[in-house]
Structure formats: structure tokens, C-alpha cells
Amino acid sequence: MSLLVGVRNRFTAMTGRDCPAVEIAPGTAAIAARDVTYAVDGGTKLVDGISLEVHPGELVAVLGPNGAGKSTLLGLLTGDLHPTGGEVLVGGRPIGELGARDLARHRAVMPQSTALAFPFTVDEVVRMGRAPYPGMPGDESDDEIVARCLAETDTAHLAERVFPSLSGGEQARVTLARVLAQRAPLLFLDEPTAALDLRHTEDVLRLARARARRGDAVLVVLHDLNLAAAYADRIALLARGRLVACGAPEQVCTAPTLSELYGHPVDVLPRPGTGELLVLPRRDAG
């Protein structure tokens, strides 16, 4: 049985609490931008004619220099922004057809930062991920789901702490736990590793890749080229609001492409023993 058919069967079999709002037919993208444009300030295009798909079972990383349009594109794909041109499709349906709760059951979003005005505990924050499924039966209880997501993100020991008292990295991991608890088949992660140390950075990307391997569609915005090359199935490179390249890491991560994109010379080398791509900026000896 193919991955996509298996994913569809899993979605069809799910009931109650974790039933997604949109059934994704085999071969259909979980999320798709079709020639999407977003213009502001009298016509300035922050996103300019981008077409991009993310399918169930894959992790797509979006990269590019500052101001490339990464976060704006993410806002369009999540439904937080409305395109001024083109369209965004969720499982083949226009995103505007989905209500707020249906959208929350289909996609979960980890923003760059989370600000909470009230002193919620970590446990309460993670339980917010269960909000789209009030009073509905499921294959696991909320307590079981929350406990597992806290464990996966190494935040179980923080469960009774007040969220605003945490460090930036701890808050990021708790926010990821909330996103995982939502159990949506489409995940959006906006620079999830920005505040994390080495160990937790790797943990987050391993979790994202594991969700994709279980059949979810995952899109992650990153700045770290080496992380993207190590974990992503495909990499989309943006510059000045346009998609300049999209493909497997070995197709996209070439020295000429990246040097031009970032305006700085780089070398791309195979890692000894694994062949994993390493992107290294060139530095003057002096």
C-alpha cells in the first residue's frame, strides 16, 4: 500500500477528537499555493507569484535571506493572511471555505514567538492544543496526549511552571508541545530552532521529520542551511518574494545557487562517512 493511500485510510479511520476537517485524496497536496501574491503599500509585493505544494509524508523547508518573504508566505499558507492574487488550497479546497475550527483541526502553527498575557502553566498551554476537539471521544485522552507531547519535547519537568517564567528556549519547546498536541495532519513551524541549544535543535527537527514519516505534511521555515539539508525532503529557496529554486537538498544546495542567494561565497561539501551536505561560508584568513 502506498504512503498516500495509507495516509488517506488513516484519516478516514480516525473519528471524533482527531478527525481532520479535510480528507486528502491520494496525490493531492495537503497545502498548495497557486501563483500566490501578497502586495502592500501601494503595490509592493512581499510575495510575488509563488507556487508551492506540501504533500502528506514530506517535510519541506523554506529558506532565504532576511526579507525574502518567508514569514509572509507562511501567513498565506496558514490562512492568517489573505493573498492579493492567486489562491491557497487545503486538500484541494480553497482555504477560505474552512471555518476557524475546521482549519484548526487541519493545520497547527508554531509561530516564531508566543506571548501570553495571563500566567498559564505549561500544562495549561499544551492543553490549548486540544481546544478544537471539545467533548469529543478519541483514541487517546487529553491527559495521555498532553503527557506524551510534554515528554517528546523534554518539557514534562516544566509542567507546573508558569509559562512567562520560562527561558526563550523553554517557551519554544512548550509551544511545540502545544502544536503537537493539536494532532493536525499539517504542521507549520516558523523558525522553531531560533532560541534552542544544539541538543534541542536536533530534537525538534527529528520530531518534525518523524511526523512527516508518519504521514503528516510538515513545512518549516529555517535559517540554518545545514539543518535543512540534513532533515528536509525538499528545500524551497526564496529571494525578494519569489521562489528561486525548489527540490531535493542535493539539487538545491549548490555553491553557486547559495552564494548568489545570500550574497556571500559558500562551499558545499559532503560530510565524511555519511555524505550529508555541509554548507560552509568562506571566511577571509585575516
Side-chain angles (χ1 to χ4, degrees), residues 23-210:
E23 182 178 330
I24 304 173
T28 302
I31 191 77
R34 296 280 187 263
D35 197 28
V36 166
T37 295
Y38 186 74
V40 296
D41 299 334
T44 300
K45 294 180 179 179
L46 303 184
V47 167
D48 187 3
I50 288 180
S51 293
L52 179 67
E53 295 183 349
V54 185
H55 287 261
E58 72 171 345
L59 190 160
V60 174
V62 177
L63 294 96
N66 295 335
K70 301 183 296 295
S71 292
T72 302
L73 176 62
L74 188 68
L76 294 166
L77 293 174
T78 60
D80 293 330
L81 297 175
H82 302 291
T84 54
E87 64 177 348
V88 175
L89 303 175
V90 177
R93 292 174 53 188
I95 196 170
E97 292 182 359
L98 297 180
R101 178 167 290 178
D102 284 342
L103 196 57
R105 290 179 183 177
H106 186 77
R107 63 98 176 99
V109 184
M110 180 179 176
Q112 290 185 29
S113 61
T114 301
L116 294 176
F118 299 98
F120 293 108
T121 66
V122 165
D123 183 83
E124 289 170 333
V125 170
V126 178
R127 287 178 187 276
M128 292 177 186
R130 306 305 303 154
Y133 315 99
M136 298 173 65
D139 56 342
E140 288 184 281
S141 70
D142 284 350
D143 288 343
E144 291 171 323
I145 293 170
V146 169
R148 179 165 46 77
C149 293
L150 287 169
E152 287 179 339
T153 56
D154 189 30
T155 53
H157 63 291
L158 304 172
E160 300 306 316
R161 288 273 303 274
V162 175
F163 184 83
S165 73
L166 304 179
S167 71
E170 290 170 335
Q171 288 186 359
R173 283 153 45 210
V174 171
T175 301
L176 177 62
R178 174 188 61 75
V179 168
L180 296 177
Q182 198 169 330
R183 297 221 299 194
L186 175 58
L187 301 183
F188 293 101
L189 310 178
D190 192 3
E191 298 187 29
T193 64
L196 300 184
D197 58 31
L198 177 62
R199 170 199 164 186
H200 290 111
T201 291
E202 295 292 326
D203 285 347
V204 166
L205 269 296
R206 277 195 291 266
L207 278 171
R209 185 170 62 183

